[in-house]
Amino acid sequence: MHIQRYDIAVLCVENDKMQELNRMYRGMDRPTDVLSFPASEVRAPGKLPDPWSDLADLGDIFLGVGLINDQCKQEGTNLELVLPAIITHGFCHLMGYDHETKEQWEEMREQERSILESFNKLTGHRTRPFVSVLP
């Protein structure tokens, strides 16, 4: 994987806003940890537009920091350690990956693993993919 120029917005919101967004866009009346909203239709997973085109804005990633903090407390970790994996998960959704089926899950997990492997080499971290449970 090589670096290209794209725009992505990452917004941190509380549980009530995440619940509202999750209800509006997914029909689920509960907060969630991450929601991604692609700026344009993705042709196929991983097929990104020309980075110098008007489509270089990939979209928005909303992070439910309240729920993420609660999950961190339950798992004995902290936001700083899980944030790279959660943002990578949202980024993969912006690139058209999903995890509704076992095949999609495997493809998305591999993409997350690849991105985080590069991240870990640059930072010395040991971040693992966020998608850890089969659908």
Side-chain angles (χ1 to χ4, degrees):
M1 172 177 259
H2 59 283
I3 297 173
Q4 297 180 356
R5 174 201 169 272
Y6 291 102
D7 296 324
I8 297 172
V10 178
L11 300 99
C12 298
V13 299
E14 289 298 331
N15 286 346
D16 57 343
K17 184 63 176 177
M18 281 302 275
Q19 182 168 347
E20 177 186 336
L21 291 168
N22 205 18
R23 180 177 51 247
M24 247 183 351
Y25 293 101
R26 297 180 63 221
M28 298 180 177
D29 193 18
R30 63 179 185 265
T32 188
D33 42 22
V34 60
L35 288 172
S36 297
F37 298 97
S40 59
E41 188 174 336
V42 179
R43 293 173 285 150
K47 305 294 183 209
L48 297 175
D50 176 353
W52 299 103
S53 74
D54 291 340
L55 300 175
D57 177 9
L58 295 183
D60 301 330
I61 300 170
F62 284 79
L63 302 178
V65 292
L67 182 60
I68 294 168
N69 274 323
D70 291 345
Q71 291 170 339
C72 286
K73 288 176 188 172
Q74 290 173 355
E75 296 172 14
T77 188
N78 64 55
L79 185 64
E80 293 79 20
L81 293 176
V82 300
L83 203 53
I86 292 172
I87 291 173
T88 298
H89 183 81
F91 177 64
C92 284
H93 279 301
L94 292 182
M95 292 192 307
Y97 291 95
D98 210 339
H99 45 84
E100 295 297 317
T101 68
K102 181 180 179 190
E103 292 77 23
Q104 289 175 335
W105 177 87
E106 289 170 348
E107 186 178 28
M108 184 165 178
R109 182 166 172 82
E110 178 56 30
Q111 185 62 40
E112 287 186 22
R113 189 203 57 72
S114 175
I115 292 168
L116 290 171
E117 184 178 278
S118 295
F119 172 79
N120 290 339
K121 283 180 185 176
L122 290 170
T123 64
H125 291 162
R126 294 183 180 169
T127 306
R128 294 187 312 255
F130 184 65
V131 177
S132 58
V133 179
L134 283 169

